[in-house]
Amino acid sequence: MASRSTLPDFTALPLHPEDPPHSAWGLYGPHDQLGSLNRLTDETVAQAARDEIRNGSRCLPSEDKPSTKDVFQKPPRTVNDDVWTFNTQSSTQCMFLCIPMEKSRVPNRIAKGDGLRHFAYQKEKKFYNGVTLEDIHSSKESSINGIHAWADMGIVGRGILLDFHSWRLAHNITYNPFETRAISLEQMHAVLRDQGTEIRFGDILFIRSGSPITFPPLTARRRDSDPRLGYVDAFSKLAQEQIEELASVVPPRLAGVEQSKAVLEWIWSNFSAVAGDQPSFECWPTREDWALHEVLLSGWGMPIVRFVTSPGE
């Protein structure tokens, strides 16, 4: 059973000295494909349902994924069929249903969930539980570390919203999602403290960073924007020349969660998955010689969900 009391201490990672930094390979068995989602036990989900469900409202993932649809007839019968084509980014499209806290607007539309074959440890070239590129590409039928394991299990849990956007406005803190700017652990602790939000083991963390009121240095050419909206909405309101200017920057510069061992320990000790309205969840490019993507996805098997929007956005 996955619980905080049975979780190895962060300082004990990696579990095996020959494995990549901070990895927990083998914690749930050598062939596990659920990773940190093992924390969403029946007891954990049932407790969340008893404590948090108020009105029974449901939500669906957004339908604005980049895709093409070809509808065709199947004569001589009066029948139509269709073929959808879209990029799963290594089988990473997934849906999270979170049980929202009563006083929290947990985002309810999800565009991208990074799966366990998406981003490997770059130096070791290995994915969760030591899976290699050869393991994934050796056969078209290979499903190792695919999201089918998530679909078979079903992902349901208690989601908590860390509303960094509202907090920073209240504290007059500037923010630009199109810059490499880190949301620090100290700031995240302050947000949760001011919200009065309690973390429970196995929670799904949502971070709402929002968008700036202005887009320096492109303010003069920008379209009107609503400071309440997230990255996707902010990006959609940019003029074409702004988009082209941002696209010319390689690697892209993005705001997000800081890379630090303290952040890793906090996430490891509490959550089953993480999510945000940012394109990369973490600030980019990374300020360290490692990335959160490496440790979360390939070290712990922890989903990273991106481009999340909130109700009404």
Side-chain angles (χ1 to χ4, degrees):
M1 177 179 177
S3 65
R4 181 175 275 126
S5 62
T6 61
L7 188 72
D9 190 82
F10 177 76
T11 58
L13 303 179
L15 296 182
H16 308 285
E18 67 274 14
D19 290 344
H22 312 301
S23 62
W25 293 356
L27 178 61
Y28 303 109
H31 305 296
D32 174 66
Q33 298 184 75
L34 291 175
S36 61
L37 294 180
N38 282 287
R39 302 177 180 190
L40 294 175
T41 63
D42 292 346
E43 294 80 4
T44 298
V45 175
Q47 185 66 48
R50 286 191 294 268
D51 293 346
E52 306 298 347
I53 291 179
R54 296 294 182 270
N55 57 24
S57 297
R58 278 93 58 200
C59 60
L60 296 174
S62 64
E63 298 178 357
D64 57 354
K65 301 180 183 68
S67 61
T68 58
K69 180 177 72 170
D70 179 23
V71 180
F72 57 91
Q73 299 179 28
K74 302 183 74 173
R77 297 175 298 166
T78 307
V79 173
N80 288 314
D81 208 337
D82 54 38
V83 173
W84 286 80
T85 303
F86 62 97
N87 176 17
T88 66
Q89 198 169 12
S90 297
S91 299
T92 63
Q93 295 290 341
C94 63
M95 171 183 174
F96 280 70
L97 171 60
C98 285
I99 301 167
M101 298 173 58
E102 181 180 14
K103 297 180 180 180
S104 178
R105 294 176 62 215
V106 172
N108 71 350
R109 288 176 290 170
I110 294 174
K112 279 275 190 180
D114 287 346
L116 307 189
R117 47 167 56 186
H118 171 49
F119 198 104
Y121 276 103
Q122 296 302 290
K123 294 178 182 178
E124 295 80 1
K125 301 185 184 300
K126 290 185 177 181
F127 298 87
Y128 179 61
N129 264 353
V131 169
T132 65
L133 282 173
E134 291 73 22
D135 294 329
I136 294 172
H137 293 280
S138 61
S139 168
K140 290 184 178 180
E141 286 71 39
S142 173
S143 62
I144 190 169
N145 277 2
I147 62 171
H148 67 287
W150 300 355
D152 291 343
M153 169 193 176
I155 302 174
V156 180
R158 178 180 183 265
I160 64 168
L161 174 65
L162 193 155
D163 193 354
F164 173 76
H165 175 70
S166 296
W167 179 85
R168 70 172 182 81
L169 289 180
H171 291 79
N172 197 30
I173 297 174
T174 59
Y175 176 81
N176 187 342
F178 310 115
E179 292 179 351
T180 304
R181 176 173 296 192
I183 300 173
S184 70
L185 180 60
E186 290 74 17
Q187 289 175 323
M188 292 188 285
H189 280 317
V191 174
L192 293 174
R193 184 173 57 250
D194 288 358
Q195 291 178 175
T197 301
E198 172 197 6
I199 299 176
R200 297 181 185 174
F201 184 73
D203 281 352
I204 300 173
L205 172 67
F206 291 88
I207 297 178
R208 178 175 181 250
S209 63
S211 67
I213 296 177
T214 60
F215 297 85
L218 306 173
T219 306
R221 300 196 301 275
R222 72 177 181 89
R223 301 176 185 176
D224 292 336
S225 66
D226 187 332
R228 297 171 298 175
L229 302 182
Y231 176 93
V232 174
D233 305 272
F235 187 89
S236 69
K237 291 177 172 58
L238 295 176
Q240 183 60 37
E241 59 266 30
Q242 292 175 289
I243 295 174
E244 292 174 358
E245 184 169 337
L246 289 173
S248 68
V249 179
V250 180
R253 297 172 183 172
L254 303 167
V257 175
E258 73 172 1
Q259 295 91 7
S260 70
K261 290 184 178 180
V263 164
L264 284 178
E265 182 172 7
W266 180 62
I267 294 175
W268 166 257
S269 302
N270 292 292
F271 303 109
S272 61
V274 296
D277 56 2
Q278 316 96 315
S280 60
F281 181 74
E282 59 185 306
C283 67
W284 202 259
T286 177
R287 297 178 173 183
E288 303 290 340
D289 60 356
W290 51 271
L292 292 181
H293 271 63
E294 293 179 277
V295 180
L296 270 60
L297 291 174
S298 292
W300 306 339
M302 179 175 290
I304 300 174
V305 186
R306 305 172 286 122
F307 295 114
V308 182
T309 58
S310 301
E313 294 185 359

